[in-house]
């Protein structure tokens, strides 16, 4: 679990692919258990923000090979293609990406991700909100207007 994995930076409003972060041996640890030509399925932290999701995937398709991690498949599961959850057993790597914690949590419940991950046997990388949504109890500070006043937040 991590707060960020790198793989992109914004330049003039555009996402630019960069290598993954090497902090705390992150990339080296991945390399130690990485299968050649891994299949990666990313679960969105913003399941309705298709432009953001596509930008993330496009950068990471370049970032992983830049970091010495070969891939044969990479896709993001969001509200366009929830059925990708059924391919989870075919994947070598699952990435739970960051975003708005409650929104992502609702999406994870909707697609029954917790139940699928309970029997998954591969690498799981959780980023930011994805890490928080792996925990049983989390304090997620309000991010959107009105959340602090919402008794259901």
């Amino acid at each position: 679990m991590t707060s960020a994995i790198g793989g992109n930076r914004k330049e003039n409003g555009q996402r630019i692919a960069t290598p993954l972060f090497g902090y705390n041996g992150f990339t080296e640890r991945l390399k130690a258990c990485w299968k050649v030509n891994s299949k990666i399925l990313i679960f969105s932290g913003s399941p309705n923000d298709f432009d953001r999701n596509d930008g993330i995937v496009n950068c990471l398709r370049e970032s992983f090979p830049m970091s010495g991690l070969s891939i044969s498949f990479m896709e993001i599961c969001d509200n366009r293609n929830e059925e990708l959850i059924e391919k989870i057993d075919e994947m070598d790597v699952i990435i739970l990406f960051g975003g708005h914690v409650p929104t992502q949590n609702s999406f994870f419940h909707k697609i029954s991700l917790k139940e699928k991950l309970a029997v998954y046997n591969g690498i799981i990388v959780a980023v930011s909100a994805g890490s928080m949504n792996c925990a049983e109890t989390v304090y997620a500070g309000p991010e959107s207007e009105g959340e602090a006043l919402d008794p259901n937040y």
Side-chain angles (χ1 to χ4, degrees):
M1 296 193 193
T2 181
S3 60
I5 62 171
N8 73 83
R9 72 179 192 295
K10 281 201 172 179
E11 191 173 292
N12 298 322
Q14 300 274 11
R15 287 188 189 274
I16 306 295
T18 63
L20 300 176
F21 292 148
Y23 309 141
N24 298 317
F26 175 71
T27 305
E28 292 308 312
R29 288 182 175 148
L30 273 179
K31 285 179 184 178
C33 54
W34 196 263
K35 292 182 181 177
V36 174
N37 295 324
S38 281
K39 296 177 189 170
I40 303 172
L41 184 55
I42 302 168
F43 288 91
S44 175
S46 304
N48 288 319
D49 193 344
F50 306 139
D51 288 339
R52 177 182 186 265
N53 295 342
D54 292 343
I56 289 167
V57 171
N58 289 336
C59 281
L60 291 180
R61 277 191 183 117
E62 294 180 48
S63 300
F64 278 84
M66 278 182 192
S67 303
L69 302 163
S70 63
I71 59 173
S72 64
F73 173 88
M74 180 181 286
E75 191 58 67
I76 193 162
C77 180
D78 58 24
N79 279 330
R80 295 174 288 192
N81 55 12
E82 297 168 17
E83 68 279 359
L84 283 175
I85 187 73
E86 299 307 324
K87 294 186 178 241
I88 200 168
D89 293 335
E90 300 170 24
M91 300 298 132
D92 302 303
V93 181
I94 299 299
I95 301 175
L96 310 176
F97 219 77
H100 184 249
V101 175
T103 300
Q104 184 185 54
N105 191 281
S106 293
F107 180 62
F108 286 2
H109 282 282
K110 179 180 167 186
I111 62 174
S112 302
L113 182 61
K114 182 177 180 179
E115 292 75 18
K116 297 284 188 179
L117 290 179
V119 295
Y120 174 72
N121 188 24
I123 298 170
I124 300 174
V125 177
V127 179
S128 193
S131 296
M132 294 172 77
N133 279 314
C134 287
E136 289 293 322
T137 304
V138 170
Y139 173 77
E143 296 179 42
S144 300
E145 189 172 329
E147 283 182 336
L149 301 175
D150 181 355
N152 296 314
Y153 177 75

